[in-house]
Amino acid sequence: MGFCVCSWGLGTPQGFLSLLFAPSSAAAKMPSPQTVASGPELHSPREPAGPRIPAQGTRKASSEDTSSAHREGLRPGLGTLRRAFSKASQRASGCAPQEDPGLLRRSSRLLFRSLRRARDEGPAADQTQATTGPGVAHGREASSRAMDGVSPQSSTGAGPAELEDKSVADLITERKLLAAFEQLRHLETQLVAEKASRTFEQDPTGFARRAMDLCLHYDGLAAEIGAIVLETLGPDGVDAAVLAELARVVRAEEEAHPEPPADGDFLCTPRHWRQHWEDAVRRSARERVQQVSAGEAPGAAEGASGLAQLLAELGRLVRRDLQKVQLEVHPAYAAAGYPAWEAYLRAFHGAVAQRLQELAHDAHGCEQLYVLLDWASNVYSSPDFLGSQDLALPSEPLPPLLAPDVWARLESDYTSFLETKIASCFDGILQVEQSRWVAAEAPDVLQGHYHTPLSIDVHMLVAEHVKAAGAISAELEATTLQICTRALGLFLPRFEKAFLESGAVSEPNLCANINACEEFRTHLLARFPGSLEELEKPLVAATCAFQKRLLQGLQGDVQPLFKVLCTKAWLTQDVLQPLLDKVVAFAGHLEHVVPPRAQETLQEVHRYVVREYLAQALRPRERFRGVERVSGSQKMGLDAQAIGNTFQGLGSEATWLGRAIPCVADILGETYKDDIRRHLETLIRSYPDIRRDHVLAILALRRLGHRRNQHLLTHAQDLLRAVAEAGGPGAAGGHVLFEEIEVPTSMDVLITCI
């Protein structure tokens, strides 16, 4: 317990008075007592540790003095008081190794002030004789017996018979707190009255002894209150009756000492036991919380799992203790009109906050940081953390579990680790894909579409981390989404380059990657609207790269088949069907591509076939005249119909391509030359990207003559100019066909121009 006179630094009462009254002549005549060393071994001034200070005035060396000295020797002193408190000291020291010395410091300061005032006030002549009568010794003897020996009757009435023969120290030891306080209050009132009547004017040693005894007993009672609080949540607990009596004695002390005396007297000053009780509650909560894996730092634990286990144990302890407070402790205090729930709730909140600050200081790694943030925001702050919805909320909101600067630091550290972790995860995804390419694994077909694990891996990675961050705070969720977006934006070009440079490039794999990019665009953007716009550009670039490589494969297969078109052998053979067969086989892969990208690719194939057909027609290897020209025109019409039917059957929506080959065929085979103008107008209006060189190449196929060619060329130039003023290629919806057809300058074209 540590409550002893030596904690004041005064030694024995005689030593205290010798320091206080050293300047006085009476004190100078006093023999020097033996000083008691500081520590628990405090001797009573009545023990043979030093000479007694004789009473001044009427005390004489007679039989009365001998009887008085005999009584003084029989009365227990401070040493006896220390031994009487030994049991309570051991119990209190087991829970609180170091009691708050504030009570003793306040006691010593106020006692100094009280004694100096008693010394400085000069005694009246008539009062001097009254204060030295034989009744004084009897009053002091009774007070001392009340604290060390026999207790007087309680101030509130006759107490139980078993309490009448017990000292205050015994009552405190047996936790009869209210009875002990009533006796102390009675003795305090008596000592104040005697001091006011100047009883101790000639015997300041007696006043100091009794004042210190009273102070020690008050402090011992306060220490017992702290010990009860510390034992309340222990394994054995404390009876509800003891808790109720504790609450009543605190309230009784507040009523007995409502405010400091006007004259600053030490004896009646408030003891602040309510504050002492609250401090003990906080100390109890702090010690309970610190018991959870004491001495084990997160770095010494087995990563995030060890920290999670520690926090789970901490949560169980706090939940168990607060439930005990709710069910057992609070009702006991409430029966005495003393609120305890809010005090315990705030005490445990502060203890948990302190413990979490310590854990946060040593936490490292993304997983440990997230475990701390998640426990603070989702576990501890959960409404059902205590397992009851009927708990009374505190009158004022609890402070944040973690200070704002600590929380911000944890989130910042977490996002820094998370950025590195997500980048590493994308590296792992790329390695998995590369291993699949080496193993030549064909993509799966799910719901009719080619599928690659890339899509699932990326979706799970992003969704998992964003969801986990959203469980902590909206700000952390937004930050995590930005990290994932940047990482995915950097991953897509790397993935595209690695795949196109690998030996796994094939139609199924290309289609599967196109599907993956489309899923990123639709599903991720739909799930996180307004957050992934910066992914649009890399996704479009990757999709276009895969589509281009897919078309290049088809072009490499069918390009040689275009060379036999518009030849004399072409007039008698169906050389177009092998080309269309390859197109149909290629379109079979597009059936396993998501509709938007499949339609884009199919229309691009359709445009490529029509464009290459026209390129062969505008630069023929052989010139047709007469009947061959008419046959060639008819053959081109049949080919245009075959191409249109094929792509229409495949589902191409590029109907705007259907007029190009027939218009050229009509110009080539038209027998009524004046209608060539009409066919030419249709061609120019349908395809505004046509140029003058294309018109010259088409007219060169007919060889109409100089005048008619000049007339048609002039009219075509006027039409081209009008189309350009109307908006150029935009007038036809931005479609491009003739612009990509290169027409070499031949002799026939030159002749047509002349």
Side-chain angles (χ1 to χ4, degrees):
M1 184 180 303
F3 288 93
C4 57
V5 181
C6 62
S7 63
W8 294 350
L10 301 178
T12 62
Q14 293 88 339
F16 167 76
L17 290 175
S18 64
L19 290 175
L20 185 61
F21 298 108
S24 64
S25 59
K29 298 176 181 179
M30 294 181 184
S32 301
Q34 181 178 349
T35 302
V36 182
S38 61
E41 296 300 328
L42 179 64
H43 295 281
S44 170
R46 292 170 295 278
E47 296 176 358
R52 291 282 310 275
I53 302 178
Q56 301 179 12
T58 60
R59 181 171 297 184
K60 303 176 181 179
S62 61
S63 60
E64 181 180 353
D65 294 332
T66 305
S67 176
S68 176
H70 178 69
R71 288 196 302 270
E72 290 288 325
L74 293 177
R75 183 178 60 199
L78 295 179
T80 307
L81 176 63
R82 181 191 58 78
R83 288 188 294 273
F85 279 138
S86 60
K87 178 187 277 188
S89 301
Q90 295 171 1
R91 181 168 57 252
S93 62
C95 300
Q98 184 176 357
E99 190 69 32
D100 183 8
L103 291 172
L104 292 175
R105 287 197 298 268
R106 289 194 297 271
S107 301
S108 63
R109 288 197 302 269
L110 293 173
L111 184 59
F112 267 117
R113 191 183 305 123
S114 178
L115 291 177
R116 289 187 183 277
R117 186 169 56 254
R119 184 201 64 177
D120 295 338
E121 294 175 355
D126 54 345
Q127 293 173 338
T128 303
Q129 298 297 327
T131 57
T132 57
V136 176
H138 176 73
R140 292 195 298 270
E141 193 73 24
S143 299
S144 181
R145 286 198 304 271
M147 289 185 286
D148 295 333
V150 180
S151 171
Q153 188 176 2
S154 174
S155 61
T156 59
E162 62 271 13
L163 297 181
E164 294 181 355
D165 297 331
K166 293 184 179 180
S167 67
V168 175
D170 291 337
L171 292 175
I172 294 174
T173 302
E174 297 175 6
R175 293 187 170 173
K176 308 296 184 182
L177 305 182
L178 194 57
F181 174 75
E182 289 175 349
Q183 292 191 20
L184 286 176
R185 176 60 179 157
H186 172 75
L187 297 174
E188 182 182 47
T189 303
Q190 180 182 358
L191 186 60
V192 170
E194 293 179 3
K195 176 176 176 290
S197 63
R198 302 184 183 277
T199 302
F200 296 99
E201 185 176 278
Q202 301 301 324
D203 188 15
T205 304
F207 175 78
R209 181 186 303 109
R210 289 177 57 184
M212 285 190 295
D213 286 351
L214 187 67
C215 173
L216 284 174
H217 281 83
Y218 266 129
D219 290 347
L221 187 54
E224 193 65 26
I225 292 174
I228 292 173
V229 172
L230 294 177
E231 295 176 13
T232 300
L233 299 178
D236 299 331
V238 177
D239 292 339
V242 176
L243 297 179
E245 187 168 355
L246 185 154
R248 285 193 292 269
V249 78
V250 171
R251 292 173 62 89
E253 191 279 329
E254 291 177 339
E255 294 173 359
H257 306 133
E259 58 184 11
D263 57 356
D265 194 354
F266 158 75
L267 293 175
C268 295
T269 189
R271 302 289 171 172
H272 304 290
W273 283 353
R274 183 181 295 267
Q275 181 64 39
H276 177 67
W277 175 82
E278 293 177 354
D279 293 341
V281 169
R282 285 191 290 269
R283 185 167 62 254
S284 173
R286 185 167 57 252
E287 292 180 359
R288 298 282 297 172
V289 168
Q290 291 295 335
Q291 289 175 3
V292 177
S293 300
E296 181 178 358
E302 296 179 0
S305 61
L307 180 59
Q309 182 178 359
L310 186 149
L311 291 175
E313 183 181 351
L314 175 62
R316 286 192 296 270
L317 180 136
V318 173
R319 187 183 302 109
R320 182 172 61 251
D321 284 355
L322 287 180
Q323 287 176 349
K324 182 176 182 179
V325 171
Q326 177 199 6
L327 299 176
E328 302 176 13
V329 179
H330 177 69
Y333 281 103
Y338 199 84
W341 166 249
E342 183 172 344
Y344 272 97
L345 183 62
R346 290 187 177 277
F348 271 96
H349 182 76
V352 171
Q354 179 182 354
R355 181 64 168 148
L356 216 61
Q357 297 260 11
E358 297 171 356
L359 296 175
H361 182 269
D362 297 325
H364 300 289
C366 182
E367 290 78 10
Q368 286 192 354
L369 291 169
Y370 180 80
V371 166
L372 277 175
L373 293 171
D374 178 68
W375 192 88
S377 60
N378 297 322
V379 179
Y380 180 81
S381 301
S382 174
D384 57 351
F385 174 71
L386 298 179
S388 175
Q389 300 291 338
D390 301 329
L391 298 178
L393 295 176
S395 57
E396 297 181 1
L398 295 173
L401 190 61
L402 290 173
D405 58 332
V406 177
W407 185 272
R409 180 183 64 81
L410 287 178
E411 284 193 346
S412 176
D413 294 345
Y414 171 73
T415 53
S416 299
F417 283 110
L418 182 63
E419 192 167 0
T420 303
K421 179 183 177 182
I422 290 180
S424 176
C425 289
F426 276 111
D427 292 340
I429 292 175
L430 182 58
Q431 293 176 1
V432 171
E433 289 295 314
Q434 288 174 334
S435 64
R436 289 182 56 254
W437 302 337
V438 173
E441 297 180 7
D444 300 327
V445 178
L446 298 179
Q447 298 180 349
H449 297 151
Y450 286 127
H451 179 78
T452 173
L454 171 69
S455 175
I456 295 179
D457 293 342
V458 173
H459 275 85
M460 290 183 62
L461 174 65
V462 175
E464 176 185 354
H465 286 90
V466 172
K467 180 181 179 181
I472 295 177
S473 67
E475 295 78 7
L476 188 60
E477 179 183 17
T479 303
T480 302
L481 190 56
Q482 293 176 358
I483 293 174
C484 294
T485 301
R486 288 195 299 268
L488 182 55
L490 296 174
F491 169 78
L492 288 173
R494 295 172 53 211
F495 174 80
E496 170 197 329
K497 180 180 179 182
F499 174 74
L500 295 180
E501 292 177 354
S502 69
V505 177
S506 63
E507 286 82 357
N509 286 331
L510 286 167
C511 293
N513 291 337
I514 293 173
N515 290 340
C517 292
E518 184 62 19
E519 290 177 3
F520 295 153
R521 179 186 293 108
T522 56
H523 296 174
L524 286 179
L525 292 179
R527 184 168 182 177
F528 308 107
S531 302
L532 303 177
E533 287 81 359
E534 59 184 282
L535 276 181
E536 187 68 26
K537 185 176 180 180
L539 283 173
V540 170
T543 302
C544 291
F546 295 139
Q547 286 179 320
K548 181 179 179 181
R549 187 61 175 270
L550 192 63
L551 291 172
Q552 287 175 348
L554 175 65
Q555 292 170 4
D557 291 339
V558 302
Q559 187 66 35
L561 301 179
F562 284 104
K563 295 181 179 180
V564 298
L565 297 176
C566 299
T567 61
K568 292 182 178 180
W570 164 69
L571 294 175
T572 58
Q573 300 175 9
D574 188 5
V575 298
L576 184 64
Q577 191 57 43
L579 187 149
L580 296 179
D581 290 340
K582 288 184 176 293
V583 170
V584 172
F586 175 83
H589 295 293
L590 298 181
E591 294 178 358
H592 302 298
V593 179
V594 290
R597 306 287 82 80
Q599 184 60 223
E600 285 180 1
T601 308
L602 183 60
Q603 290 186 27
E604 188 63 25
V605 174
H606 191 175
R607 190 176 72 90
Y608 166 75
V609 171
V610 173
R611 184 187 69 208
E612 290 302 314
Y613 191 99
L614 289 174
Q616 292 297 324
L618 295 183
R619 51 175 186 267
R621 295 176 179 273
E622 300 178 14
R623 293 289 175 177
F624 299 139
R625 294 180 177 85
V627 177
E628 289 181 347
R629 179 174 52 80
V630 176
S631 298
S633 174
Q634 296 174 352
K635 182 68 172 178
M636 289 180 65
L638 294 174
D639 288 347
Q641 185 177 2
I643 293 173
N645 292 338
T646 299
F647 280 100
Q648 184 178 1
L650 295 175
S652 174
E653 298 175 359
T655 57
W656 63 278
L657 293 169
R659 293 183 296 272
I661 297 177
C663 282
V664 175
D666 291 341
I667 294 173
L668 182 63
E670 182 61 56
T671 57
Y672 186 64
K673 296 181 180 181
D674 290 338
D675 287 343
I676 294 177
R677 176 189 177 110
R678 177 172 54 84
H679 298 313
L680 192 59
E681 291 175 354
T682 302
L683 183 63
I684 293 175
R685 288 192 177 97
S686 300
Y687 303 97
D689 64 324
I690 194 171
R691 299 191 304 271
R692 181 175 178 273
D693 294 343
H694 300 118
V695 175
L696 288 175
I698 294 172
L699 293 178
L701 298 176
R702 280 300 306 264
R703 295 187 178 182
L704 298 173
H706 173 69
R707 182 177 297 180
R708 189 175 296 275
N709 283 339
Q710 288 296 329
H711 177 71
L712 292 174
L713 185 59
T714 301
H715 182 64
Q717 289 176 338
D718 293 338
L719 289 175
L720 291 172
R721 191 178 302 111
V723 168
E725 293 175 355
H735 300 310
V736 176
L737 180 62
F738 283 92
E739 184 178 341
E740 296 178 353
I741 299 176
E742 296 182 0
V743 180
T745 302
S746 63
M747 184 58 65
D748 293 330
V749 174
L750 292 175
I751 293 174
T752 303
C753 296
I754 297 175

